[in-house]
Amino acid sequence: MGLLNRRRETDGASPELDDARAETDRLRLELDRARSTLDGLPIGVVVVDADGAVVSRNRSASFGRGHSEVLISEAIDRQVRQALDGRESTAAVELFGPPKRVVQVRATPQADGGAYVVVEDISERARLDAVRTDFVANISHELKTPVGALAVLAEALSEETDLAVVHRLAGKMVDEAHRAATSIDDLLELSRIELGGSAVRDPVDVRQALREAVIRSLAAAEQRDIRIDLDEPVEPITVLGDRRQLVSAISNLIDNAVKYSEPGSDVYVSTTREQSRDHAWVGMQVRDRGIGIPAKDLDRIFERFYRVDRARSRDTGGTGLGLAIVRHVATNHEGDVQVTSIEGEGSTFTLRIPVAP
Ligand code: ADP
C-alpha cells in the first residue's frame, strides 16, 4: 500500500530515480545527525582540506575574538600546518584567565591530504597530574626523612661504646621508626578511604562511633595529660555509612585537638543537630583550647600534606594527612567538615553527616 502511494506521488518517474531520492534522503538525515552529534561534543573539531581551508567546524570550535580564543586559533593554525606536512602534532595552550585553563590542540593528517583538529580543555587533567606529582614528591619526602635519620642514627650507634648514649640513640631510632610507620598507616588509610568510596551504607550509631573514637585517642591524651570530655547525645542518632571510616575521621579530629593543645587542658567532644529544608544533620564536634589556626591557613588545612607550620607539626609527629582523611570521609557520606579557629584560643571542627531517614 505504502509503495503504491509513493509511486503515485512521483508520478511516472522510474523506480531507479525513486531509489536514488530515497538514498539522498537517507544520506541527508545521516549528515544532519553527524552534524548535530559533532555540535553536541564538548570538544572542538575543525576539518581542513589539503589547502588548509576550513571545510567544517563544530560549535565548540567556533571561536570569537577574545584574547584566549585568538591564542587557541593561532595554535590551531600552527598544528594544521604540521598536519598538512603529514605529521600528527599536539600542543598545549596555557591560558592565564581567570580562570586559568589548559587547552590541548591536536592535528591529525587525513588520507585525502587534509587534516582534522581536536581542541580539548584539559585543565582538570592537568590539575590532577600536578596533584599526583606533588603527592608522589611528598610521599618520598615523608618516608625518606625518617629512613635517612634511621641510617644516620644506626651508623652513630654502631661506633658508640657509652651505654647512656647508646640508649639515647636507640630511643631516637624508635621515634623515627614510629614516624615512618605513622606515615605509612595514614597513607594506607587515605587510599583505602579514597578507593573504598561510599559503598558501605550501614546504620551507624553516632554515640557508639564517638565512644570508639574517644577510646582510640585516650592513650595519646593521657600521655599529654589532656582530658577528653565526651558529651553524648541524649537520644540515639543513626547515620548511614561506614562505621570504620566515621570512627577514623572523628578520631583524627580528637588526635589533632590533643596534639595542638597545651598539656593539662581539655578537649570537648559533642554533637549538634541541624534541620535544613529536606535534611536532618548531625554535627560531630571536637573543640579544643589549643594553639589555633591562622585565618590564612584555614582554607588549606584539608589538603593532603598541608601543615600550618612544618617544623611544629613534625615535633608533634604529624603527617599532614589526618584532615585530608576527614574530608574524604565527609564527602563519602554526603556530608562536610567545617572549622572555626582563633589563633591562641583554640579550634572547633564539625563533621556534619545527614541523619538516616
Ligand atoms: P597533621 O598530621 O600535621 O596534624 P592534619 O591534616 O591532621 O595533619 O592537619 C593539618 C594541619 O592543620 C596541622 O599540621 C596543623 O597545623 C593544623 N591543625 C589541625 N588540627 C588542628 C587543631 N585542632 N589545632 C591547631 N592546628 C590544627
Side-chain angles (χ1 to χ4, degrees):
M1 178 69 171
L3 194 64
L4 281 178
N5 280 343
R6 219 182 311 142
R7 281 272 157 77
R8 216 172 292 129
E9 274 165 29
T10 52
D11 203 18
S14 70
E16 286 79 12
L17 198 56
D18 280 353
D19 286 349
R21 278 188 183 137
E23 183 61 8
T24 310
D25 286 348
R26 196 184 61 75
L27 286 176
R28 194 168 291 143
L29 203 70
E30 233 169 64
L31 196 63
D32 284 349
R33 193 177 293 144
R35 251 191 219 130
S36 71
T37 306
L38 270 178
D39 275 339
L41 290 179
I43 55 172
V45 180
V46 182
V47 181
V48 298
D49 64 17
D51 298 322
V54 173
V55 179
S56 77
R57 61 169 77 232
N58 71 347
R59 201 171 291 147
S60 297
S62 303
F63 302 113
R65 291 172 179 277
H67 181 59
S68 303
E69 292 172 314
V70 169
L71 288 177
I72 298 172
S73 296
E74 287 172 359
I76 293 177
D77 290 346
R78 278 195 302 275
Q79 304 315 308
V80 160
R81 277 198 293 277
Q82 306 229 28
L84 292 181
D85 281 345
R87 274 172 285 139
E88 166 146 348
S89 87
T90 306
V93 187
E94 277 192 52
L95 306 169
F96 291 97
K100 215 173 144 175
R101 287 192 300 147
V102 184
V103 173
Q104 189 184 62
V105 178
R106 192 178 71 236
T108 309
Q110 299 240 64
D112 65 358
Y116 69 90
V117 185
V118 173
V119 183
E120 192 178 358
D121 187 324
I122 56 162
S123 313
E124 186 56 14
R125 214 188 304 157
R127 193 186 67 78
L128 289 177
D129 271 354
V131 168
R132 203 190 46 208
T133 312
D134 258 18
F135 189 52
V136 173
N138 275 317
I139 292 178
S140 321
H141 173 81
E142 236 23 74
L143 296 179
K144 254 189 187 150
T145 313
V147 172
L150 274 175
V152 173
L153 288 165
E155 210 172 298
L157 193 66
S158 69
E159 288 161 11
E160 190 53 62
T161 50
D162 182 338
L163 204 59
V165 181
V166 168
H167 275 298
R168 196 165 52 76
L169 291 177
K172 281 194 173 171
M173 287 181 77
V174 172
D175 287 349
E176 293 298 340
H178 278 313
R179 185 161 291 163
T182 311
S183 288
I184 293 168
D185 282 349
D186 278 0
L187 279 168
L188 289 177
E189 178 83 6
L190 181 62
S191 78
R192 210 172 19 236
I193 284 170
E194 278 182 343
L195 291 176
S198 50
V200 183
R201 278 281 173 267
D202 292 333
V204 180
D205 177 355
V206 169
R207 281 199 292 202
Q208 201 62 39
L210 289 174
R211 270 181 224 158
E212 249 180 80
V214 170
I215 290 171
R216 256 207 222 183
S217 307
L218 270 185
E222 264 167 28
Q223 233 177 23
R224 306 207 65 226
D225 188 24
I226 286 174
R227 208 169 65 96
I228 303 177
D229 182 346
L230 170 60
D231 183 8
E232 284 187 2
V234 185
E235 312 234 310
I237 306 174
T238 307
V239 296
L240 292 183
D242 185 329
R243 190 180 56 86
R244 231 180 89 148
Q245 284 192 14
L246 288 167
V247 171
S248 164
I250 308 161
S251 163
N252 266 304
L253 293 179
I254 303 177
D255 280 347
N256 279 350
V258 167
K259 265 191 308 195
Y260 301 110
S261 292
E262 287 300 321
S265 52
D266 289 351
V267 164
Y268 306 92
V269 181
S270 57
T271 51
T272 56
R273 294 292 297 260
E274 264 177 61
Q275 180 75 47
S276 68
R277 203 156 10 112
D278 39 25
H279 265 117
W281 299 79
V282 55
M284 289 162 252
Q285 204 161 69
V286 179
R287 186 159 59 87
D288 65 62
R289 291 187 197 283
I291 56 175
I293 301 159
K296 67 171 176 42
D297 295 299
L298 283 177
D299 278 350
R300 303 205 53 195
I301 51 174
F302 295 98
E303 293 172 17
R304 295 159 165 173
F305 297 109
Y306 190 82
R307 292 156 176 175
V308 172
D309 175 349
R310 275 187 166 260
R312 182 188 72 184
S313 303
R314 219 180 133 63
D315 287 345
T316 55
T319 61
L321 292 173
L323 290 180
I325 293 177
V326 178
R327 188 172 61 177
H328 258 289
V329 172
T331 314
N332 283 353
H333 289 79
E334 276 112 45
D336 58 25
V337 51
Q338 293 166 350
V339 56
T340 56
S341 184
I342 300 178
E343 253 191 298
E345 292 191 15
S347 316
T348 303
F349 284 83
T350 310
L351 172 64
R352 281 196 330 155
I353 305 286
V355 172

